[in-house]
Amino acid sequence: MNPILHKIVETKHSEINESRGKVLPDRTIPIRDWKSHLKTTSISVIAECKKGSPSAGVIRPDYNPVSIATEYESSGAGAISVLTDKSYFYGSLSDLQSVANKVSVPVIRKDFILDPIQIDEAYAYGASAILLIVRILSPEQLKLLHEHATRLGLAVLVETHNQKEVDIALDMGANTIGINTRDLDTFQIHKNLIEQIAPKLDSSIIRVAESGIESFEDWQKYKGMIDSMLVGTFFMKSKNIPADFLALLNGKTANRN
């Protein structure tokens, strides 16, 4: 495991221990249907709210997740991803709750989930889905966490990076599989990964392309292979999210100035 990823996981274990015994708020919003928003006649967008990352530092100094999320929804996002990791991605559960209370599309908690308590938090703070990363979980952990989320009525995006991880996800019963082109061990992007893996997945699976999508051309070659694309950094660097959202989808030149 990459030293940075290893450090993140260690930190997450400490945070989990601190969370035990805390009283969670009562959920106040309905769970939004994941499949109907992502499995559509065209490629849907899971638009991400994240202030920064370990590899890029602070990406958006004027980060306002609610404002960003409302722009995403009005632009046509099928779902919204909210980074809740505070130590490395500058996020929080309050960000998740604020966004979930404001939009009517599904919101996914994106974090390094290792324990059922984090899924309970996601539910309490308004998420309709969670992310599970095969790279940081044993098959037994993955199955336990997936089952826990499903019992609560939450959808699960299972993130993979190679065929072996996809096989683990399928054996466990995943119905939404993310193919992350970013190798979490090296942080390098492998764009051909989508073309290598996605066509092998049954069309009943919600197939999500993750990382490295920054242009119309980036995802056009995936048409017919994927159902959705998760896009974060591209939007976080944008000075005009609605314009760049449209540009990403229709091929017009985005205004990046």
Side-chain angles (χ1 to χ4, degrees):
M1 188 182 293
N2 176 282
I4 295 176
L5 183 59
H6 180 73
K7 187 176 180 182
I8 291 172
V9 170
E10 282 191 334
T11 302
K12 200 58 54 179
H13 280 299
S14 297
E15 292 175 1
I16 290 166
N17 288 333
E18 292 173 5
S19 296
R20 297 193 191 283
K22 288 185 178 179
V23 177
L24 297 175
D26 292 329
R27 186 182 180 105
T28 58
I29 65 168
I31 294 175
R32 315 292 185 187
D33 185 64
W34 178 254
K35 184 175 181 179
S36 65
H37 283 84
L38 297 188
K39 196 80 167 176
T40 63
T41 56
S42 60
I43 295 178
S44 60
V45 178
I46 305 172
E48 189 158 88
C49 296
K50 68 175 177 181
K51 184 174 181 177
S53 71
S55 57
V58 174
I59 300 170
R60 195 175 185 91
D62 59 338
Y63 182 68
N64 183 327
V66 172
S67 175
I68 292 165
T70 54
E71 287 191 300
Y72 283 157
E73 183 175 29
S74 63
S75 298
I80 295 169
S81 167
V82 178
L83 261 296
T84 58
D85 174 79
K86 62 182 180 181
S87 300
Y88 302 92
F89 290 85
Y90 317 101
S92 68
L93 284 167
S94 63
D95 288 347
L96 173 68
Q97 186 175 48
S98 297
V99 169
N101 278 324
K102 191 68 175 180
V103 301
S104 58
V105 296
V107 177
I108 179 170
R109 180 186 187 182
K110 192 175 183 187
D111 209 317
F112 299 85
I113 292 179
L114 306 168
D115 190 278
I117 194 170
Q118 295 166 283
I119 300 173
D120 294 337
E121 290 172 342
Y123 177 85
Y125 283 85
S128 293
I130 61 160
L131 175 77
L132 293 179
I133 305 171
V134 176
R135 180 65 58 90
I136 63 173
L137 298 166
S138 70
E140 293 75 22
Q141 287 175 311
L142 181 67
K143 188 173 188 295
L144 183 151
L145 295 171
H146 192 280
E147 289 176 348
H148 188 75
T150 302
R151 280 195 297 270
L152 292 175
L154 302 180
V156 183
L157 169 57
V158 181
E159 180 178 297
T160 66
H161 179 69
N162 54 45
Q163 189 61 52
K164 181 180 178 181
E165 292 179 359
V166 170
D167 291 341
I168 291 171
L170 290 173
D171 288 344
M172 183 272 305
N175 54 28
T176 303
I177 292 182
I179 304 167
N180 191 353
T181 62
R182 186 184 302 280
D183 187 337
L184 293 181
D185 286 335
T186 64
F187 297 116
Q188 292 182 328
I189 297 288
H190 302 278
K191 289 190 175 182
N192 291 338
L193 204 62
I194 304 296
E195 296 161 281
Q196 293 170 8
I197 293 177
K200 300 176 185 177
L201 294 173
D202 189 89
S203 60
S204 63
I205 301 290
I206 301 173
R207 302 154 295 181
V208 182
E210 300 180 49
S211 299
I213 298 173
E214 298 183 332
S215 70
F216 177 75
E217 292 74 23
D218 279 342
W219 69 266
Q220 270 287 292
K221 60 185 177 181
Y222 302 153
K223 289 183 73 172
M225 301 180 192
I226 64 169
D227 302 293
S228 187
M229 53 181 171
L230 193 154
V231 183
T233 301
F234 174 78
F235 291 140
M236 291 298 89
K237 290 181 177 180
S238 172
K239 294 183 179 180
N240 188 332
I241 287 175
D244 278 349
F245 198 107
L246 185 63
L248 182 68
L249 293 182
N250 68 19
K252 292 181 180 178
T253 302
N255 178 14
R256 307 297 287 177
N257 297 318

